[in-house]
């Protein structure tokens, strides 16, 4: 009787360990992960779609302000600040895009094997 008890205990322990270390999953892809992935894609496309023309307009207005300053030092400095600020903000937006892509890769489904 004692031998039978040990055999049952070893079989149960083996089944538990096999289920714990199993790499296959037959569950569906979670709805929350799909929602987050779609939201990241939407935010990323919207940010890039809006930021590129905005940066171009800001750089253009800074260039025109410098060009038509007619020697006024304040306008030249303001034009330089506008150009520098728009380029820095566009670079920041591209960095945010990179961070969102990295987060999306971490959240999205990866298949190994």
């Amino acid at each position: 009787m004692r031998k039978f008890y040990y055999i049952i205990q070893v079989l149960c322990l083996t089944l538990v360990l096999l289920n714990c270390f199993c790499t296959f999953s037959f569950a569906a892809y979670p709805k929350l992960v799909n929602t987050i992935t779609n939201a990241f894609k939407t935010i990323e496309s919207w940010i890039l779609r809006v930021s590129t023309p905005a940066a171009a307009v800001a750089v253009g207005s800074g260039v025109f302000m410098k060009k038509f300053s007619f020697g006024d030092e304040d306008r030249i400095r303001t034009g330089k600040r506008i150009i520098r600020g728009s380029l820095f903000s566009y670079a920041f937006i591209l960095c945010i895009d990179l961070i969102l892509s990295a987060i999306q890769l971490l959240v999205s489904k990866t298949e190994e094997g």
Side-chain angles (χ1 to χ4, degrees):
M1 184 70 181
R2 193 170 187 118
K3 187 177 183 180
F4 181 71
Y5 176 72
Y6 285 127
I7 291 173
I8 296 295
Q9 192 176 12
V10 167
L11 284 176
C12 289
L13 184 63
T14 305
L15 285 174
V16 168
L17 288 176
L18 282 177
N19 285 331
C20 287
F21 298 120
C22 182
T23 58
F24 298 109
S25 176
F26 299 105
Y29 202 53
K31 187 176 182 180
L32 179 65
V33 174
N34 281 334
T35 305
I36 291 173
T37 304
N38 291 338
F40 277 133
K41 286 180 185 176
T42 305
I43 289 170
E44 184 178 351
S45 67
W46 183 78
I47 284 175
L48 286 178
R49 201 177 308 147
V50 169
S51 67
T52 306
V57 168
V59 169
S61 64
V63 166
F64 281 129
M65 188 176 283
K66 273 180 65 176
K67 186 74 173 173
F68 297 115
S69 66
F70 300 114
D72 188 11
E73 291 294 325
D74 287 337
R75 286 185 140 184
I76 291 174
R77 262 187 269 138
T78 305
K80 285 181 182 179
R81 277 193 220 132
I82 289 174
I83 293 171
R84 191 179 325 123
S86 63
L87 291 178
F88 281 142
S89 61
Y90 188 66
F92 181 71
I93 288 172
L94 289 179
C95 289
I96 288 175
D97 178 44
L98 183 66
I99 291 170
L100 285 177
S101 297
I103 292 172
Q104 182 181 357
L105 284 175
L106 291 174
V107 171
S108 69
K109 180 177 152 184
T110 59
E111 293 185 22
E112 297 179 26

